[in-house]
Amino acid sequence: MGSAGGTGSITERLSAALESRSARVQRALGSPLRTTRMTVVVGRLLGAAFAICFVTGLYSHLLQDPLPWLPLPVAATHLYGWTQGTHVVVGSALIPLLLAKLWVVFPKLFAWPAVRSLPHLLERASLAALVATALMEPITGILNVLQWYPWDFSFRRTHFALAWVLIGAMTVHIAVHLPTIVRAWHAEPATTSSPAGPHQGAPDE
Ligand code: HEM
């Protein structure tokens, strides 16, 4: 009995210590630029850029592995030049956009408790998949442009498969944060900014 109570108080004290440490880290990393509004401003550019890369990449994939029931304008070589050029240019722009987005939300990654419930655990897992694939896609794409393959897997198959994981995880991410996105989309920059703890919204958002 006594030891169970003792263990409980140790975990409670540990959790309280981590919670106050996480609050301190978040305050220390606070910046007037790290606002929910800024997250949405960068996020919508990132979302648009990934959507453009997904559609142009799918078109390129279907030209190389055509589906019998889906005729595509194969003679339109100029069209492919434009779609593939757009894919590479917008895909390269993803790197600075991603770094900007991760910089803005960085303090949120220290939130404690890290997992609050089963739905929250699933959301964190899909966020981890989103960040990993969002970094992998432009990096492998740029290495492919350089014709440098420091890996054993097939670039095309992996790039294609990860694109689906990325689009799925991004859809979940947008759905989870939709109320925050809608609120911050048209907000004046000044209304969502405060020097101490600029990120707004419920912890779930
Ligand atoms: C591949 C693209 C993206 C990546 C890697 C990414 C990454 C992240 C990360 C790591 C967080 C912090 C989550 C947390 O710890 O609670 C976050 C939050 C957020 N993201 Fe994204 N995101 C992406 C796309 C988007 C898009 C397209 C939007 C829509 C505009 C968006 C809107 C938001 C919002 C509103 C938040 C919460 C900000 C807050 O609570 O202040 N994200 N994102």
Side-chain angles (χ1 to χ4, degrees):
M1 288 288 283
S3 76
T7 311
S9 70
I10 286 172
T11 52
E12 273 165 29
R13 266 186 292 154
L14 190 64
S15 176
L18 284 170
E19 206 162 335
S20 79
R21 181 156 293 216
S22 118
R24 244 182 303 139
V25 170
Q26 292 200 6
R27 263 198 310 276
L29 292 171
S31 151
L33 289 176
R34 286 190 161 124
T35 63
T36 302
R37 159 98 183 138
M38 186 63 84
T39 311
V40 172
V41 168
V42 180
R44 62 195 180 195
L45 287 175
L46 204 51
F50 270 119
I52 290 170
C53 284
F54 184 70
V55 173
T56 50
L58 202 58
Y59 179 62
S60 165
H61 179 85
L62 289 173
L63 283 180
Q64 292 172 77
D65 292 342
L67 296 173
W69 49 268
L70 187 66
L72 287 172
V74 280
T77 46
H78 288 303
L79 177 62
Y80 181 67
W82 278 103
T83 60
Q84 199 53 18
T86 305
H87 187 82
V88 172
V89 170
V90 176
S92 305
L94 281 171
I95 300 266
L97 280 175
L98 256 175
L99 293 179
K101 171 80 204 245
L102 293 177
W103 181 85
V104 177
V105 297
F106 186 54
K108 289 183 77 69
L109 302 181
F110 294 94
W112 192 265
V115 174
R116 293 186 302 272
S117 58
L118 185 61
H120 190 229
L121 173 67
L122 296 176
E123 189 268 327
R124 301 321 278 175
S126 78
L127 186 67
L130 176 64
V131 174
T133 50
L135 289 169
M136 274 291 278
E137 282 296 82
I139 290 173
T140 53
I142 287 171
L143 292 182
N144 179 55
V145 170
L146 299 175
Q147 299 279 295
W148 181 35
Y149 305 99
W151 53 68
D152 287 335
F153 52 80
S154 148
F155 162 75
R156 263 198 67 217
R157 275 172 47 199
T158 310
H159 201 66
F160 181 65
L162 287 184
W164 289 95
V165 178
L166 169 55
I167 284 295
M170 201 164 73
T171 307
V172 172
H173 184 68
I174 291 172
V176 167
H177 290 290
L178 198 57
T180 311
I181 294 169
V182 170
R183 235 178 297 127
W185 190 281
H186 297 293
E188 289 299 318
T191 62
T192 49
S193 159
S194 86
H199 277 285
Q200 295 184 348
D204 276 332
E205 295 170 1

